[in-house]
């Protein structure tokens, strides 16, 4: 219910902003482009198509409008848009005006990940208890556990665990065809859980955790879920 309410509120505010011409500057446009795939991460499936007109508006806005951003900002923006099927097409429309260059002092990157625009969905801090729990269990089941989720959180867990010399057997994700590997660790279909020699699944998804747990339990009731 919280995800549904959050999505509807964001959708309403986006529509008001568009209808009242409040997305006129580049900073406003980029902020909404960042927010869109992030809010979609926790949007219930039944509401996702309500975002289609919003995506169409941004597609029109981007077609003939190059963005005066640094290469790193363009790369990060494209990466965000590629994370969701509804915003994937927008990524190819993001153009960079290479004739204009900002300096580090003139254009800070923080507005690209400003939490005010996307309800802190991109919070990068990690609770100590969560980090400790994953590391301890990862070490206990080293080589016999997997990570469910190849998004930003899944990638972070892979990097953190590998840095501690703890290796997941593989990663699973519904969009596994789009990302073959993370740091050399294979990304596979979730169906691979059924016959894999594993004892633990670490779920790297906040918004869909309950659905993922249900999926895992229908296939392997013997596996520990974290």
């Amino acid at each position: 219910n919280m995800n549904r309410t959050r999505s509807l509120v964001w959708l309403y505010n986006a529509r008001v902003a568009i209808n009242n011409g409040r997305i006129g500057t580049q900073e406003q446009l980029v902020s909404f482009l960042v927010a869109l795939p992030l809010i979609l991460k926790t949007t219930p499936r039944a509401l996702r198509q309500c975002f289609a007109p919003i995506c169409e508006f941004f597609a029109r806005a981007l077609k003939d409008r190059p963005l005066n951003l640094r290469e790193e900002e363009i790369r990060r923006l494209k990466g965000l848009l590629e994370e969701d099927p509804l915003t994937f097409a927008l990524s190819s429309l993001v153009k960079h005006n290479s004739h204009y260059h900002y300096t580090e002092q003139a254009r800070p990157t923080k507005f690209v990940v400003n939490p005010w625009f996307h309800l802190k969905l991109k919070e990068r801090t990690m609770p100590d208890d969560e980090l400790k729990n994953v590391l301890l269990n990862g070490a206990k089941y080293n080589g016999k556990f997997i990570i469910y989720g190849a998004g930003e959180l899944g990638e972070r867990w892979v990097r953190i665990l590998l840095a501690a010399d703890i290796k997941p057997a593989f990663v699973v994700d519904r969009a596994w065809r789009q990302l073959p590997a993370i740091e050399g660790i294979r990304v596979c279909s979730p169906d691979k859980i059924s016959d894999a020699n594993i004892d633990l699944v670490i779920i790297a998804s906040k918004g869909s955790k309950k659905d993922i747990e249900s999926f895992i339990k229908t296939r392997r009731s013997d596996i520990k879920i974290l």
Side-chain angles (χ1 to χ4, degrees):
N1 288 335
M2 289 180 64
N3 288 339
R4 176 181 173 81
T5 299
R6 183 188 297 113
S7 299
L8 288 173
V9 169
W10 192 94
L11 189 62
Y12 171 80
N13 288 333
R15 285 171 173 167
V16 169
I18 290 171
N19 292 337
N20 290 279
R22 295 178 185 170
I23 310 182
T25 69
Q26 173 178 280
E27 186 164 337
Q28 291 167 336
L29 174 61
V30 172
S31 297
F32 274 92
L33 288 172
V34 169
L36 185 55
L38 293 172
I39 197 69
L40 283 169
K41 285 185 177 181
T42 55
T43 296
R45 188 175 302 174
L47 287 178
R48 285 178 59 82
Q49 285 306 312
C50 295
F51 284 76
I54 302 293
C55 293
E56 292 173 4
F57 167 82
F58 288 120
R60 292 192 298 270
L62 286 170
K63 279 184 178 177
D64 300 309
R65 185 173 180 176
L67 300 175
N68 293 325
L69 300 174
R70 294 195 305 273
E71 292 291 347
E72 171 64 12
E73 292 174 325
I74 288 291
R75 185 187 67 79
R76 294 169 68 190
L77 179 57
K78 284 186 173 183
L80 276 174
L81 294 171
E82 288 172 355
E83 289 181 1
D84 192 279
L86 279 178
T87 59
F88 188 86
L90 295 177
S91 176
S92 62
L93 296 174
V94 174
K95 301 175 183 177
H96 183 214
N97 186 348
S98 59
H99 301 295
Y100 193 98
H101 298 282
Y102 284 110
T103 64
E104 287 291 334
Q105 292 74 25
R107 172 60 65 177
T109 60
K110 65 181 181 180
F111 83 90
V112 178
V113 291
N114 188 337
W116 187 84
F117 287 100
H118 48 78
L119 309 175
K120 291 192 176 181
L121 289 178
K122 203 173 176 60
E123 177 62 56
R124 297 193 61 82
T125 58
M126 192 174 291
D128 290 347
D129 289 344
E130 182 179 355
L131 180 59
K132 179 181 177 181
N133 197 19
V134 168
L135 287 173
L136 287 175
N137 279 277
K140 180 179 179 180
Y141 298 101
N142 200 349
K144 297 194 69 176
F145 74 94
I146 66 168
I147 295 174
Y148 195 119
E152 183 190 12
L153 182 57
E155 290 182 6
R156 290 178 68 197
W157 279 131
V158 170
R159 290 194 297 268
I160 290 170
L161 289 163
L162 289 179
D165 200 25
I166 300 170
K167 187 176 182 180
F170 53 90
V171 177
V172 299
D173 193 276
R174 291 172 184 170
W176 59 278
R177 291 185 179 86
Q178 300 174 17
L179 185 66
I182 300 174
E183 300 291 335
I185 305 298
R186 291 178 303 151
V187 178
C188 308
S189 166
D191 292 331
K192 189 173 176 58
I193 293 174
S194 300
D195 57 0
N197 183 23
I198 55 174
D199 299 316
L200 170 70
V201 177
I202 298 173
I203 298 178
S205 174
K206 300 295 185 182
S208 305
K209 188 171 184 178
K210 288 185 178 180
D211 291 338
I212 293 172
E213 284 181 350
S214 298
F215 174 84
I216 295 170
K217 288 176 181 178
T218 59
R219 283 154 178 79
R220 292 285 296 275
S221 59
D222 60 313
I223 291 181
K224 181 177 180 179
I225 301 174
L226 194 60

